[in-house]
Structures are given as C-alpha cells and as structure tokens.
Amino acid sequence: MRSVLVLNGPNLNLLGHRSPEFYGRQTLAQIENSCRTWSSEVGLEIEFLQSNSESTMIDAIQRAMSIHSGIIINAAAYTSTSIALRDAIEASKLPCIEIHLSNIYAREKWRSDSYLSAVSVGVICGFRETSYRLAILAMADLLES
Ligand code: DQA
C-alpha cells in the first residue's frame, strides 16, 4: 500500500482552542483520526506528524524520500517564511499538496505569500478539516495516474 506523509507545522498542536473562527474546533488528534479513516478509504497509509520546529519538518521531508510516495503539508506560518522547507520539498521530488484550514487569501496578505505553492502540485485551503480530506483524495488520484 502506498503511504503519504501528512506534515503539520507550528502551533497546529493548539487546534481545538486556537482561533476557532479560522481553524474550527477540532483538535489535531481528531483531524489525525479522520485522516486515517479517509486515507484507508482510498487505499493509502499515512504518517501524520506535527512539529513546531522547522528542522524537524525538514528532516521528516528528507526521510519521506525513501519511505513515502507523496507529501501533504500544512506548514502553518512557515508557509510564508521557509525557503528551507521549499528546498526540501523540491529536493524530495515527491508530489506535494499544500493545505490550510483557513482561506489564506481572505486574511492578511502575507499569509498567501507562500514559498511552498511553486513546488506543490496544488493548493487546498479554506475548508477547515475538510482541506485534509480533499488533499487525501487528490493525492490518491495523483498516485494512481
Ligand atoms: C494555517 C494558515 C497560516 O497562515 C497560519 O499561520 C496557521 C494555520 C491554516 O491552516 O489555515 O498556523 O496554515
């Protein structure tokens, strides 16, 4: 079975009570459980990770090169700051989907200045936890084609 890294960046461990008007009320553990269900429905395994550290995220992407077939990433605030994450994704040569819970285009301008979009196959944002579901469906399609 193909496997996918679902990688979550800084402060996403606070989901559930952090700015619910943007991110909804589900905790990251609840989202992880849903992702496990959604991925098994489309024949994918997932490794689900969260880190507040940029270097841990880069290490996870480098490790993914040898064990996973794709990357789904919510890099949170690192989306707008991290050239290093961008380079790691590019170097991995794995198909990547950038996701966000909130609609980053409807918020502060800098949130949509993403270093990751150009090295991603596509971007999904604004659907809260359903952004993860849509990304899993899209990744399953990508890996089948
Ligand atoms: C986020 C959007 C980012 O701008 C923000 O820094 C986050 C979460 C989202 O999922 O909507 O932490 O990536």
Side-chain angles (χ1 to χ4, degrees), residues 88-128:
I89 291 167
E90 184 176 53
S92 78
K93 301 213 186 307
L94 292 171
C96 178
I97 300 176
E98 175 187 342
I99 62 170
H100 302 279
L101 295 145
S102 64
N103 180 355
I104 55 173
Y105 297 96
R107 301 180 63 192
E108 297 93 335
K109 167 81 182 75
W110 54 265
R111 288 188 195 272
S112 56
D113 289 338
S114 169
Y115 280 113
L116 310 187
S117 302
V119 290
S120 298
V121 180
V123 182
I124 298 168
C125 72
F127 299 97
R128 298 198 174 166

Side-chain angles (χ1 to χ4, degrees), residues 42-61:
V42 293
L44 292 179
E45 275 177 0
I46 55 166
E47 177 187 1
F48 194 96
L49 274 185
Q50 187 274 333
S51 179
N52 294 325
S53 150
E54 191 176 8
S55 69
T56 302
M57 293 179 72
I58 292 164
D59 289 343
I61 292 168

